[in-house]
Structure formats: structure tokens, C-alpha cells
């Protein structure tokens, strides 16, 4: 299959690109190379005859139309997005332009191409979204695919908007779509502005480990390579027009998560003091959702998928990866906004 992957130079998109190429798929990676992108993430496949790169912006409909005609993909996996909640609080406009308008442009380009090709039945437009569209949970319960949307941040609102557009393009124009809503990812190549890499790298640098509020916010952590595996499965086997929630079955509070990372570092790279002594509580993020948890019954029962690693196993792999790949992360610390407290509103 030839898959057009948008956002393939980012964290999750690059895991999808690497996995798809390793499974023998042709991949066209379309990415604007924003501050969050890193072509080193796909260096392991860059010389493969199965791989092509197109530097393009999903806000540019003309560029998208040309790429569809030039590459004639069998499927689209749309991951390109502005993805950092804190940045969405400081500058929501870019999130609306890329996540909402960019998705609209992708849908229109895909639809024109699909119609011009005679509406092939096997074509798929897979939209990759987040569980944050469902808003927040109390101490109990889980998000199912039927949970009403109630996004609380500019980021999650923009992703909710893009989900609605994708559904509508299926209902109105018959575009063959599938959607996935996934919990928090972590793993190798995670950009060093997100919680887990920030904690690992600050710990190593002897800096404070910032935890928003009292650290009680709960997330359901999913190893990025498990996510990529689930995404390819949904692309190939998911029912048309259907949404699938993807979770790690690994709920942890932020404080528990950070303490686990500290304990791994204490073992792998011991310092004079336990790393947990660097934990510092900072002003909470406005609109910070208390808890996310995924009910993965649909993807498990319909497609037979479940995550392959626990959060402890995945974190150990992740910490080892950051210890061994300083050449990857060190230059990224210089990029705009990285290492600063963003999104206090
Ligand atoms: N990270 C998570 O935990 C998580 C969880 C669930 C869903 N998601 C979704 O998965 C997708 C990928 O997330 P990520 O964490 O890999 O993001 P990321 O920020 O690491 O990567 C985003 C990529 O998209 C590209 N991009 C941004 N704007 C673009 C534009 N206008 N045109 C073309 N390319 C553009 C960037 O250059 C970057 O390579 C997003 O849609 C996100 O909403 C992420």
C-alpha cells in the first residue's frame, strides 16, 4: 500500500513512518517542518526506495492537490497538527489554522483526488486524534467512542473540530474515513517540551522537575510504538466511518509517573541525591483536565489489538533511549520556547 503520512517528521508520525516502511509499505511523508519536526526521526528509513519526503504545509491547498496527483496514495494517515496544549493557550490561532483549516484542506484534496480516480473502494482517510476531545473525567469512568465531545483547551477544541469535519466528509461526500482517538503517548523521539522528556532531561541537568498543580492529574499512557501498530491496524481493518479509542491501559497520576522516571534514573544513572528530590510543584495549567482514561473495548474486541508494554517497561526503554541519544535531543533544547514555562494564560 502507498500511504501519504502527514506530520511524519513529528513524534508519532515518525513512528508510523518507520513502522510502515519496515512492513513493506510505500510512504510519502508530508511535513512542513515546524519547530516540532525533526527529520532525524526518520533517518533510519530515509534512504529506502519505499520512502519519499514532501516539504509542504497543510494550510496550502494547492501544494496538497499537487502532492495527491503526483503520488497517487492508496491511503492517507493525517497526523500533522500543532500538538502542544501549553502553546495553544498562548497562541490559539495557529491551532485553528493548522488543525481545523489544515484538516479541511486535507479532506478537500483527498476528496478531489478520490473522485477523480473513480472513488476507489479501498481508499482510506485516517484521521489521528486525541482523547482530549472528550474533556475531563472524575475519579471513575472511562471514555468510550460514544462519550460526548467536551474539549477544554484550544488544542483539544481544534482537534474536536477536525474530527467533526472528517465525520461530515464521510456522511456527506462518502469519503472512506476512519478515526482514532488516543491517550497520551510517550517514547523515543518525543520532543523535549512534553512532560516525560522534560523530566528526564531536567533530572540529568540537575534542574527542577516541574509538576503542574499537585500532580494528581491522571493520564492513560501509551508507548508510541504500540500506538503506531494500532494505527496501521485500524487503517487496514477498521470499519468505514468508525472511530476507535486507543489507550495504554496504564493510568498514572503525573506525580506517580515522575517518581517512576526518577526511580529508573536512580538505577541507570545514579546521582548524589535521589532524582525525586528535584520535584517542584508549579502553578497549574488553566483548564487542566483532571483525568483521562480510555475504554479500549472496541479496538480490542473488533480488531484484536492491545498494548504490548506496561508503562514501567515503556518508561525504562524511553529513559535508556534518552541516555543513549543526546545527539538527538541536545540541539532541540535551543528551539524557540523549549525549556520555558508556557501557557500560564
Ligand atoms: N502526542 C500525543 O500524546 C498525542 C496523543 C493523541 C493524539 N495525538 C495526535 O497525533 C498527531 C501527532 O502528534 P505528535 O505528538 O506526533 O505531534 P508533533 O508536534 O510531534 O508533530 C507534528 C508534526 O506535524 C507537522 N506539522 C505541524 N503543522 C503542520 C502544517 N501546517 N503542515 C504540515 N505539517 C505540519 C510538524 O512539522 C511535526 O512534524 C497530532 O494530530 C496529535 O493531535 C497526539
Amino acid at each position: 500500500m502507498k500511504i501519504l503520512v502527514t506530520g511524519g517528521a513529528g513524534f508519532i508520525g515518525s513512528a508510523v513512518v518507520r513502522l510502515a516502511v519496515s512492513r513493506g509499505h510505500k510512504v510519502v511523508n508530508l511535513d512542513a517542518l515546524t519547530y516540532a519536526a525533526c527529520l532525524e526521526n526518520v533517518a533510519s528509513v530515509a534512504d529506502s526506495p519505499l520512502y519519499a519526503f514532501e516539504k509542504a504545509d497543510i494550510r496550502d491547498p494547492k501544494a496538497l492537490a499537487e502532492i495527491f496527483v503526483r503520488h497517487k496514495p492508496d491511503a492517507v494517515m493525517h497526523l500533522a497538527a500543532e500538538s502542544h496544549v501549553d502553546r495553544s493557550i498562548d497562541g490559539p490561532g495557529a491551532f485553528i489554522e493548522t488543525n481545523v483549516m489544515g484538516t479541511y484542506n486535507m479532506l478537500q484534496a483527498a476528496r478531489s483526488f478520490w473522485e477523480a480516480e473513480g472513488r476507489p473502494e479501498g481508499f482510506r482517510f485516517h484521521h489521528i486524534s486525541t482523547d482530549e476531545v472528550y474533556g475531563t473525567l472524575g475519579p471513575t469512568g472511562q471514555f468510550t467512542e460514544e462519550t460526548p465531545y467536551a474539549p477544554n483547551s484550544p488544542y483539544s477544541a481544534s482537534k474536536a473540530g477536525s474530527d467533526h469535519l472528517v465525520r461530515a466528509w464521510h456522511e456527506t461526500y462518502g469519503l472512506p474515513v476512519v478515526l482514532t482517538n488516543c491517550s497520551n503517548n510517550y517514547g523515543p523521539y518525543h520532543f523535549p517540551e512534553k512532560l516525560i522528556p522534560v523530566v528526564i532531561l531536567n533530572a540529568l541537568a540537575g534542574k527542577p522537575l516541574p509538576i503542574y498543580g499537585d500532580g494528581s492529574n491522571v493520564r492513560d499512557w501509551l508507548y508510541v510504538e504500540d500506538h503506531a501498530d494500532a494505527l496501521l491496524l485500524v487503517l487496514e481493518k477498521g470499519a468505514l466511518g468508525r472511530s476507535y479509542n486507543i489507550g495504554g491501559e496504564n493510568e498514572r497520576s503525573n506525580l506517580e509517573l515522575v517518581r517512576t522516571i526518577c526511580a529508573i534514573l536512580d538505577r541507570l544513572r545514579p546521582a548524589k541525591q535521589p532524582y525525586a528530590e528535584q520535584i517542584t510543584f508549579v502553578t497549574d495549567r488553566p483548564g487542566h483536565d483532571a483525568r483521562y482514561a480510555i475504554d479500549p473495548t472496541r479496538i480490542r474486541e473488533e480488531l484484536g489489538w492491545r498494548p504490548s508494554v506496561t508503562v514501567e517497561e515503556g518508561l525504562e526503554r524511553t529513559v535508556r533511549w534518552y541516555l543513549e541519544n543526546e545527539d538527538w535531543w541536545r540541539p532541540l533544547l535551543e528551539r524557540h520556547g523549549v525549556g520555558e514555562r508556557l501557557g500560564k494564560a
Side-chain angles (χ1 to χ4, degrees):
M1 185 169 18
K2 187 191 267 192
I3 310 170
L4 175 62
V5 177
T6 71
F11 169 48
I12 302 171
S14 66
V16 169
V17 168
R18 294 189 303 271
L19 186 65
V21 170
S22 78
R23 291 190 180 166
H25 295 297
K26 291 186 178 155
V27 170
V28 180
N29 176 5
L30 184 166
D31 200 296
L33 301 182
T34 70
Y35 82 93
C38 206
L39 279 175
E40 286 83 351
N41 300 6
V42 288
S44 61
V45 298
D47 294 332
S48 167
L50 297 175
Y51 175 81
F53 177 68
E54 290 280 1
K55 184 173 186 306
D57 195 315
I58 61 169
R59 294 171 298 180
D60 178 353
K62 195 162 163 281
L64 300 183
E66 285 167 7
I67 289 168
F68 271 91
V69 168
R70 189 157 56 244
H71 291 284
K72 299 195 181 307
D74 303 304
V76 176
M77 297 178 81
H78 176 41
L79 296 101
E82 291 290 341
S83 71
H84 190 34
V85 176
D86 288 340
R87 288 186 192 252
S88 84
I89 295 168
D90 291 341
F95 287 70
I96 305 306
E97 287 166 19
T98 284
N99 300 359
V100 181
M101 288 305 295
T103 300
Y104 161 74
N105 292 333
M106 282 297 299
L107 286 164
Q108 286 291 72
R111 180 184 151 220
S112 298
F113 166 73
W114 175 67
E115 288 176 350
E117 292 288 301
R119 300 166 72 100
E121 270 178 37
F123 185 81
R124 289 290 177 279
F125 186 101
H126 181 176
H127 183 55
I128 285 80
S129 189
T130 166
D131 62 353
E132 300 188 30
V133 298
Y134 299 122
T136 187
L137 289 166
T140 58
Q142 290 181 315
F143 298 131
T144 73
E145 291 81 358
E146 313 306 327
T147 302
Y149 277 29
N152 289 318
S153 72
Y155 164 68
S156 54
S158 70
K159 292 297 291 187
S162 62
D163 285 4
H164 290 317
L165 293 177
V166 175
R167 269 169 233 280
W169 260 239
H170 176 63
E171 295 296 329
T172 303
Y173 305 110
L175 188 71
V177 309
V178 283
L179 298 98
T180 47
N181 295 82
C182 168
S183 59
N184 281 44
N185 281 223
Y186 68 99
Y189 303 102
H190 205 180
F191 192 75
E193 65 180 352
K194 305 278 173 81
L195 177 65
I196 290 179
V198 164
V199 167
I200 299 170
L201 302 184
N202 280 17
L204 293 174
K207 292 183 182 166
L209 311 182
I211 296 193
Y212 291 175
D214 61 4
S216 62
N217 306 67
V218 172
R219 302 291 181 260
D220 177 1
W221 292 94
L222 176 63
Y223 192 59
V224 67
E225 291 173 10
D226 277 344
H227 187 199
D229 177 57
L231 292 177
L232 284 174
L233 181 67
V234 171
L235 181 73
E236 291 178 54
K237 304 261 167 65
L240 274 193
R242 202 149 169 82
S243 284
Y244 294 86
N245 283 353
I246 309 174
E249 299 181 49
N250 277 307
E251 273 187 60
R252 296 289 183 281
S253 74
N254 286 348
L255 187 55
E256 285 172 311
L257 185 87
V258 173
R259 286 201 169 126
T260 306
I261 296 169
C262 289
I264 296 170
L265 278 168
D266 285 338
R267 210 162 16 83
L268 298 180
R269 184 67 64 87
K272 283 194 190 123
Q273 314 283 336
Y275 287 103
E277 290 187 12
Q278 289 167 234
I279 291 175
T280 315
F281 295 94
V282 299
T283 325
D284 209 352
R285 168 192 280 165
H288 200 184
D289 292 330
R291 178 170 165 263
Y292 306 137
I294 289 273
D295 177 349
T297 307
R298 178 177 289 178
I299 191 166
R300 190 173 61 223
E301 293 191 350
E302 291 184 15
L303 304 182
W305 184 86
R306 59 185 329 155
S308 74
V309 294
T310 64
V311 75
E312 284 73 21
E313 290 164 338
L315 282 176
E316 169 117 12
R317 286 189 202 177
T318 306
V319 170
R320 284 185 189 279
W321 188 88
Y322 279 87
L323 290 175
E324 289 162 9
N325 288 280
E326 184 167 346
D327 287 354
W328 179 84
W329 55 259
R330 176 78 58 197
L332 301 181
L333 302 180
E334 306 303 319
R335 291 199 184 172
H336 181 66
V338 176
E340 289 170 28
R341 174 68 203 267
L342 304 172
K344 284 200 281 193

